[in-house]
Every structure is written in structure tokens, then in C-alpha cells.
């Protein structure tokens, strides 16, 4: 599975949105956005904000990568 930062960057590019636009929507600096693109995991509250901004359910996409319904040791 690709790191979440890579998936977010690809979606931003697919939508032809700029880094500056995305940074404004997230209320952060462009440098923070570039750091976000390098992350393998991020906070769920931040992922929720990004999902709303980009109008894409990243949670559903990530959950599709879970193993099939096998009993798991908890």
C-alpha cells in the first residue's frame, strides 16, 4: 500500500490543485504540506479535514486494503 502522504499528493495533482491552495485550506504553510506528502501515517482528525477539502473518502480507500474478514487475534 502506498503511504497516505503519496495518496493525498496524487489526489491533489489529479484535481489540478496547487500546493498553495491546499495549504490555505488546511490553514498551514506550504512547507507543512510538503512534509505531509512524506508521511506514511497521519492523525485521523487531519485525514478527516483533508477528506472534506479534497472531497474524497480516504478512510474507505484505506479500509479496502485491510485483509479479508478473517478472525484476528486481538
Amino acid at each position: 500500500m502506498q503511504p497516505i502522504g503519496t495518496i493525498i499528493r496524487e489526489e491533489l495533482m489529479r484535481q489540478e490543485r496547487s500546493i498553495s491552495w491546499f495549504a490555505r485550506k488546511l490553514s498551514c504553510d506550504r512547507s507543512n504540506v510538503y512534509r505531509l506528502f512524506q508521511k506514511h501515517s497521519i492523525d485521523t482528525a487531519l485525514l478527516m479535514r483533508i477528506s472534506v477539502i479534497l472531497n474524497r473518502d480516504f478512510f474507505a480507500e484505506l479500509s479496502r486494503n485491510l485483509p479479508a474478514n478473517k478472525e484476528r487475534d486481538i
Side-chain angles (χ1 to χ4, degrees), residues 9-66:
R9 184 190 59 198
E10 289 174 353
E11 179 62 20
L12 193 63
M13 291 170 46
R14 188 189 71 75
Q15 292 186 20
E16 299 180 350
R17 301 285 190 173
S18 71
I19 303 298
S20 297
W21 174 87
F22 192 49
R24 279 193 308 274
K25 293 292 185 177
L26 283 174
S27 301
C28 69
D29 296 329
R30 289 176 25 162
S31 60
N32 291 342
V33 172
Y34 286 112
R35 279 194 289 276
L36 172 70
F37 293 159
Q38 302 301 315
K39 295 198 175 271
H40 290 274
S41 64
I42 62 172
D43 179 75
T44 54
L46 177 56
L47 187 58
M48 177 65 81
R49 288 178 56 212
I50 293 169
S51 293
V52 170
I53 290 167
L54 296 178
N55 195 32
R56 178 171 169 179
D57 187 351
F58 291 102
F59 292 98
E61 183 171 332
L62 293 172
S63 68
R64 282 194 296 268
N65 292 314
L66 291 173

Side-chain angles (χ1 to χ4, degrees), residues 70-74:
K70 297 178 184 177
E71 287 191 37
R72 298 182 198 122
D73 293 330
I74 299 178

